[in-house]
Amino acid sequence: MQTTTLMGGFVNAPLDSARAFRQIMTAVAQPGIINDAVGATPPAPLSVAAGVVLLTLCDPDTPVFLTAEFDTDDVRAWITFHTGAPLVDAAKASFAVGSWGDLPITDFAIGTSEYPDRSATLIVEVASLNPEGAELRGPGIKGKATLSLPETAAFQQNTALFPLGLDFVFTCQNRLAALPRTTKVNAIKVS
Amino acid sequence: MTDYNFAYLDEQTKRMIRRAILKGLAIPGYQVPFASREMPMPYGWGTGGVQVSAAVLTPDDTFKVIDQGADDTTNAVSIRRFFEKTAGVAVTEATVDASVIQTRHRIPEQDLRSDQILVYQVPIPEPLRFLEPSEVETRKMHSLEEYGLMHVKLYEDISQHGAIATAYAYPVKVEGRYVMDPSPIPKFDNPKLNMAGIQLFGAGREQRIYAVPPYTDVVSLDFDDYPFEASKADHACDLCGAEDSYLDELIVDDAGGRMFMCSDTDYCAGRRKAGCIGAQGVPYQEDVA
Ligand SMILES: [Zn+2]
């Protein structure tokens, strides 16, 4: 086991995860807002924010899928050591980490009509995260919000599945934003 | 070292509750199952709300607890002290100063902000339960949006009483999809379910968590010819004179004398501090310690 595996977890897990959860929860409750996520130093290529989300929400009860880019020995070992989450195929995953184009989004669980909560949450690593781009409307948003999204069509299709669907957390360095399945996304036409 | 975990619950339990809260926010009004834990207080004391608060609180929070609008009941005081001790939170009775408010049976009169979280204690989370005792059936009804029975029940009210008699736990439809029990708040509070704050609902015995994000469309069920009405006692508060607050009625003497007062004690005190006086009120004085 390499030393990087043992390092990079929360220094004070109960307090760090409580604070991190507040940042994640308020992001999910208010799609479009961008929150800080700090306290973890995971191995590359995982961002700090993705590491924070994994440490806060994952454990042996939540299978995790990694795209090839993130499926490295260091990342696997770090997730296994700090969370105990099993690493699995997309279809069995509760959480997934990957860059947008690499995530096999049609393979993940979207819940069932009686249990729409039995669905995956995708942690999408993005190169930039800004409050500009696609227009967001729906629960948690007063009027409308804007957020840089990797595309819009896939999120529109996901929203159409409601109450089924996937939920997304976008992570970029030490910041995150969220897009639950309720958010209606529209591309802003650039004139 | 302390003898207990931060906010009492172990980390794995908090993670499980936190994941349920996120699913609840993503599917507004849908009841997410969770594995409720034993808490050092009886079920009637809002163990569902306590578990949600435990999963949400950080040491940076200022916590308020109300029981039917009052901060000073045994139940409210116990829960406040519990988190003061186990989570190191600051506590307050002032709605405006609180970042997290746990409540039993009321929504504060003061509008909540988007940086405030309201945690409800829920005894019976299933709005269809009194129509259909089977969990398998109610789950199916929610999945099919089969809410006709609920409308029939409300309409029977109208034919028997001339109005919808349901005064508490009045059912709502969230974002046009799930019918939800807002917990036993008076229907006067229903319009306030459309708010800027984050609303989280915890039912301990029934092991359900559900949520309403800010600015979510929450509609009280009604009929075109019998629209929903957020009624209250047709009276002003006898202490502060408020005409817009939900009132408790108190018998004050053996002769049957009565008094109406704001159920939200912080709201009433705030008004009295500002100089408002009701019909039986006296000028506000700070409590002598
Ligand atoms: Zn009053």
Side-chain angles (χ1 to χ4, degrees):
Chain A
M1 192 182 285
Q2 300 191 344
T3 49
T4 52
T5 299
L6 303 172
M7 289 157 40
F10 286 142
V11 173
N12 182 331
L15 300 191
D16 291 347
S17 58
R19 292 191 172 106
F21 177 68
R22 178 65 61 83
Q23 301 293 71
I24 299 167
M25 182 183 81
T26 53
V28 171
Q30 299 169 80
I33 69 163
I34 297 171
N35 283 338
D36 290 339
V38 296
T41 43
L46 275 178
S47 67
V48 169
V52 167
V53 175
L54 290 167
L55 292 182
T56 305
L57 298 177
C58 295
D59 58 29
D61 294 333
T62 60
V64 171
F65 169 81
L66 299 172
T67 61
E69 178 189 0
F70 291 87
D71 193 3
T72 67
D73 289 344
D74 279 354
V75 170
R76 293 178 77 95
W78 189 81
I79 291 175
T80 303
F81 178 77
H82 289 283
T83 74
L87 297 162
V88 298
D89 293 343
K92 296 195 187 87
S94 302
F95 290 86
V97 184
S99 298
W100 179 249
D102 302 335
L103 286 162
I105 53 169
T106 53
D107 291 355
F108 294 104
I110 57 170
T112 66
S113 64
E114 295 189 2
Y115 292 95
D117 55 306
R118 294 181 181 174
S119 52
T121 299
L122 309 194
I123 301 166
V124 184
E125 295 269 34
V126 291
S128 65
L129 188 59
N130 303 300
E132 54 198 24
E135 193 173 274
L136 316 182
R137 292 176 189 274
I141 301 165
K142 187 179 187 183
K144 61 181 182 189
T146 48
L147 185 67
S148 52
L149 293 180
E151 69 160 281
T152 51
F155 301 110
Q156 290 167 343
Q157 286 160 21
N158 184 58
T159 301
L161 300 171
F162 186 83
L164 310 191
L166 303 172
D167 304 308
F168 302 91
V169 178
F170 298 100
T171 50
C172 178
Q173 297 169 16
N174 59 353
R175 296 174 307 134
L176 60 80
L179 199 74
R181 64 194 76 179
T182 48
T183 307
K184 295 164 197 75
V185 174
N186 273 303
I188 292 180
K189 291 179 187 70
V190 181
S191 52
Chain B
M1 282 291 284
T2 48
D3 298 340
Y4 38 77
N5 298 304
F6 173 73
Y8 185 77
L9 293 172
D10 64 272
E11 291 308 295
Q12 187 157 1
T13 298
K14 280 183 282 188
R15 267 194 304 273
M16 178 263 298
I17 295 171
R18 286 167 180 161
R19 292 193 297 262
I21 289 171
L22 296 183
K23 290 297 180 196
L25 287 165
I27 316 166
Y30 166 75
Q31 300 163 52
V32 185
F34 81 109
S36 186
R37 294 292 190 263
E38 290 289 327
M39 296 301 287
M41 53 194 77
Y43 273 122
W45 284 44
T47 55
V50 168
Q51 289 176 83
V52 170
S53 291
V56 162
L57 285 170
T58 81
D60 317 318
D61 275 312
T62 302
F63 189 53
K64 169 182 165 84
V65 184
I66 47 172
D67 182 2
Q68 313 248 27
D71 299 82
D72 58 359
T73 70
T74 310
N75 187 329
V77 170
S78 301
I79 294 171
R80 205 162 56 227
R81 285 205 185 125
F82 178 73
F83 285 116
E84 212 174 1
K85 193 171 150 198
T86 61
V89 294
V91 296
T92 185
E93 295 191 2
T95 300
V96 290
D97 295 335
S99 53
V100 178
I101 302 172
Q102 184 173 326
T103 179
R104 174 175 174 270
H105 302 187
R106 275 308 313 276
I107 297 175
E109 302 291 353
Q110 172 79 42
D111 285 345
L112 298 191
R113 303 180 306 266
S114 62
D115 62 344
Q116 292 180 300
I117 298 164
L118 185 58
V119 177
Y120 295 76
Q121 301 174 198
V122 181
I124 302 169
E126 178 49 71
L128 306 169
R129 182 62 68 235
F130 65 100
L131 301 167
E132 171 53 65
S134 156
E135 165 67 19
V136 174
E137 287 304 315
T138 53
R139 188 161 285 280
K140 202 177 287 171
M141 289 159 78
H142 282 294
S143 78
L144 299 170
E145 287 191 82
E146 230 179 67
Y147 295 129
L149 266 183
M150 180 62 94
H151 281 95
V152 169
K153 147 80 172 95
L154 292 173
Y155 213 87
E156 278 171 2
D157 262 20
I158 294 170
S159 51
Q160 280 179 21
H161 308 285
I164 295 173
T166 304
Y168 297 90
Y170 190 103
V172 295
K173 197 168 208 183
V174 182
E175 203 60 23
R177 180 56 181 81
Y178 286 98
V179 166
M180 184 188 94
D181 183 327
S183 87
I185 55 172
K187 67 178 178 178
F188 172 82
D189 282 345
N190 272 30
K192 285 186 270 175
L193 292 160
N194 291 281
M195 67 159 71
I198 297 173
Q199 300 175 82
L200 306 175
F201 298 78
R205 193 183 49 229
E206 306 262 340
Q207 315 206 72
R208 293 290 183 276
I209 285 170
Y210 49 105
V212 177
Y215 312 111
T216 297
D217 189 36
V218 182
V219 177
S220 302
L221 300 184
D222 66 357
F223 303 93
D224 289 341
D225 45 345
Y226 286 92
F228 172 81
E229 235 180 302
S231 56
K232 66 183 259 296
D234 187 16
H235 210 278
C237 172
D238 282 319
L239 294 178
C240 77
E243 294 178 355
D244 59 353
S245 68
Y246 189 73
L247 302 172
D248 288 336
E249 186 179 353
L250 255 75
I251 307 292
V252 289
D253 56 40
D254 293 344
R258 18 158 111 188
M259 188 170 173
F260 288 91
M261 50 207 282
C262 295
S263 125
D264 184 333
T265 51
D266 172 59
Y267 182 73
C268 198
R271 283 179 50 84
R272 289 164 61 216
K273 270 184 212 172
C276 304
I277 303 180
Q280 301 183 46
V282 291
Y284 184 84
Q285 285 183 301
E286 288 290 338
D287 289 343
V288 181

